[in-house]
Amino acid sequence: RELSYLRKPLITVFSLTLSLIVFLTILASLWFAVWISRRIVEPLQSLAEGTQAVASGNYNLKLDAASHDEIGFLVRSFNQMTDKLTQARNASQRSHRLLEQQTSYLTTVLGSLSTGVITIDNAHYLRTANIASNKILGINLQQKLESPLSSLASLNDNLQAFCQLIATSTQRHSNWQQQLDLSQVKGRQTLMCQGTPLPGEAGWVIVFDD
C-alpha cells in the first residue's frame, strides 16, 4: 500500500527531474551554439572589415589572432599580407622620391647645357627636349612632346631635314654621327648631330650642337 501510494509522487519527481535535465541540456546546447558561432563569426567579420580597409588603402590595420585554429591561421596570414603590402608601398614611395630627385637633377643638368638634347622612342615620338634644343632649332619642343617627328617635319624645311636625318640614321641601331647644313635667314647653320640608342631598346638620345 505504501509503494502504491508513493508511486505517483515518485513518477512526478522523476518526470520533473528528467524535464529539468532536458531543459538544462537544451540550454547548455544553445549557449554552446551561440558561443561557437560567435567564436567563428567575429574573426570572419574582422577579416571582412580588414579586407575593406586594405581595399581603401589602409595597410596599417592589425587583427587579433588569439586562437590557433584555422581561423587564427587566416588572421595571421592576413596580418602577414598587410605587412608585405606596407613594405611594398614604402619601397614604392622611396623609389618614386628617388626618381623625382633624379629627374629634377637631370632636368637641371640638361637645362644648363648649350647643346641640344632630345630623346625619342622606337616609334620616333618625341619624349624629352632641353631648352638649348629650342634655341638651336628655333621651335618650342616642350609644346611638341609626345608628338611624332613627322609632325615636326611638316613645320618647315629645316625641321624636315633634321627629322629625315634622324629617321635615316636610327635605322642602323648603333651609334652614329652626322653633319647637317641648314639654311637660315642670317646664313647657313651647321649642326653636328650624334645619336645613341637607349638601354633596353627604349629609343634614342639625339645630341646636336650649332
Side-chain angles (χ1 to χ4, degrees), residues 42-54 63 78:
E42 287 182 354
L44 293 178
Q45 186 176 2
S46 299
L47 278 175
E49 294 175 353
T51 303
Q52 293 177 355
V54 170
L63 302 180
F78 177 85

Side-chain angles (χ1 to χ4, degrees), residues 53-71:
V54 170
S56 62
N58 182 15
Y59 301 145
N60 298 322
L61 181 65
K62 296 294 182 183
L63 302 180
D64 185 15
S67 61
H68 298 281
D69 52 6
E70 290 80 3
I71 297 179

Side-chain angles (χ1 to χ4, degrees), residues 118-123 125-129 144-147 202:
I118 65 172
T119 59
I120 60 174
D121 59 13
N122 288 325
Y125 275 74
L126 183 64
R127 296 305 182 188
T128 60
K144 302 296 183 180
L145 297 181
E146 307 301 329
S147 300

Side-chain angles (χ1 to χ4, degrees), residues 105-115 117 119 128-132:
Y105 173 80
L106 182 60
T107 301
T108 303
V109 171
L110 292 178
S112 62
L113 295 178
S114 60
T115 301
V117 181
T119 59
T128 60
N130 66 342
I131 298 177

Side-chain angles (χ1 to χ4, degrees), residues 24-122:
L24 292 177
T25 303
I26 295 174
L27 185 62
S29 300
L30 291 176
W31 177 85
F32 181 77
V34 172
W35 177 80
I36 197 66
S37 63
R38 291 183 60 184
R39 183 184 176 91
I40 296 175
V41 170
E42 287 182 354
L44 293 178
Q45 186 176 2
S46 299
L47 278 175
E49 294 175 353
T51 303
Q52 293 177 355
V54 170
S56 62
N58 182 15
Y59 301 145
N60 298 322
L61 181 65
K62 296 294 182 183
L63 302 180
D64 185 15
S67 61
H68 298 281
D69 52 6
E70 290 80 3
I71 297 179
F73 174 76
L74 288 177
V75 173
R76 288 189 293 273
S77 299
F78 177 85
N79 291 334
Q80 292 176 359
M81 179 193 69
T82 55
D83 288 338
K84 293 181 179 179
L85 287 175
T86 301
Q87 295 174 3
R89 181 188 60 182
N90 294 337
S92 177
Q93 291 176 350
R94 288 193 297 269
S95 299
H96 184 68
R97 288 193 296 268
L98 181 60
L99 179 61
E100 287 181 344
Q101 294 174 357
Q102 292 177 346
T103 302
S104 177
Y105 173 80
L106 182 60
T107 301
T108 303
V109 171
L110 292 178
S112 62
L113 295 178
S114 60
T115 301
V117 181
I118 65 172
T119 59
I120 60 174
D121 59 13
N122 288 325

